[in-house]
Amino acid sequence: MPNWCLNRIQINGTEKNMTPIFDKFMRWFVDGEFSDDTDTLIMNELVPPDEDYNRIKSEGKFILNPQDSFYGSKWDFSPSDLTDTTINLLKISFNVDTAWSPVVPFVQRLSEKYGVNVHIEYSESGCDFYGKAFYMDGEEKYHEQYGYLEGHYHNDPEYFWSEVEFYLEDITDTSLETFLGYFKFVNEN
């Protein structure tokens, strides 16, 4: 069973560039909710395997399967896996959990294929990572990576402090020095 990585993805761009993506999302969105059609796989629909995928596959440049390298996750996701979704012609955003790792290669390929801006924010507590990246026309504009708690400290302080409270509830077998060591990145500012 995998550790689930939360991905928050936001896609935006011009009407012309967003229309093909918007049309696909609207096809999947039926009667106010996403279709339960598990045969529809979003990454494969939006960025189908291409020559690069075939190169990755033929050269064996992957860990579990070519999808790991091409999309960033072993498994694709269906429309019914999406949460916190906003869909309009100029902006589409959603959250989705993926197995073990973020789908950064997918968002880069999506940005390049459609000429759109894509922002991804991702985190996974068990593997201790948090990151965010931004792509314009497939070009990486920034990619920041942190440990899980440090990322939330810098980018989502409210969530960070709720996590500190959770740690405090289970401090009985932890020395104060060890506990404070978890938060070396916290400063007085």
Side-chain angles (χ1 to χ4, degrees), residues 45-61:
E45 286 273 332
L46 291 172
V47 183
D50 59 12
E51 295 121 20
D52 195 33
Y53 180 91
N54 292 333
R55 182 190 53 75
I56 291 166
K57 185 176 180 179
S58 69
E59 293 176 3
K61 294 189 176 193

Side-chain angles (χ1 to χ4, degrees), residues 94 176 181 184:
F94 57 89
L176 180 59
K184 290 180 181 178

Side-chain angles (χ1 to χ4, degrees), residues 8-144:
R8 294 181 179 101
I9 298 172
Q10 180 178 308
I11 310 160
N12 66 338
T14 65
E15 184 175 333
K16 177 184 174 190
N17 293 0
M18 286 293 293
T19 295
I21 302 168
F22 175 79
D23 289 347
K24 288 183 186 215
F25 271 83
M26 292 311 293
R27 193 176 76 232
W28 301 326
F29 197 69
V30 180
D31 297 326
E33 57 187 53
F34 280 106
S35 162
D36 286 336
D37 175 15
T38 55
D39 291 335
T40 299
L41 299 174
I42 290 179
M43 292 190 294
N44 190 61
E45 286 273 332
L46 291 172
V47 183
D50 59 12
E51 295 121 20
D52 195 33
Y53 180 91
N54 292 333
R55 182 190 53 75
I56 291 166
K57 185 176 180 179
S58 69
E59 293 176 3
K61 294 189 176 193
F62 55 88
I63 296 171
L64 299 171
N65 65 33
Q67 215 162 272
D68 288 345
S69 296
F70 191 72
Y71 294 127
S73 181
K74 176 182 178 182
W75 298 315
D76 206 326
F77 47 90
S78 66
S80 62
D81 294 325
L82 305 182
T83 61
D84 298 325
T85 306
T86 300
I87 304 171
N88 65 56
L89 189 52
L90 299 178
K91 176 183 167 188
I92 297 171
S93 63
F94 57 89
N95 294 348
V96 66
D97 290 330
T98 55
W100 293 290
S101 57
V103 291
V104 173
F106 163 70
V107 300
Q108 184 274 326
R109 293 175 194 284
L110 179 72
S111 175
E112 182 175 26
K113 179 177 179 172
Y114 296 97
V116 294
N117 303 326
V118 185
H119 179 266
I120 182 171
E121 184 177 340
Y122 55 87
S123 63
E124 205 287 292
S125 61
C127 293
D128 189 33
F129 64 79
Y130 175 103
K132 59 184 184 175
F134 180 68
Y135 293 87
M136 292 177 68
D137 297 323
E139 183 182 334
E140 183 180 276
K141 295 299 181 179
Y142 68 82
H143 192 170
E144 300 172 6

Side-chain angles (χ1 to χ4, degrees), residues 152-153 155-165:
H152 284 290
Y153 173 73
N155 297 284
D156 188 357
E158 185 175 324
Y159 183 80
F160 168 77
W161 289 111
S162 72
E163 285 289 290
V164 171
E165 287 178 18

Side-chain angles (χ1 to χ4, degrees), residues 171 174-184:
I171 195 171
T174 306
S175 71
L176 180 59
E177 184 177 310
T178 299
F179 178 78
L180 293 175
Y182 297 143
F183 307 102
K184 290 180 181 178

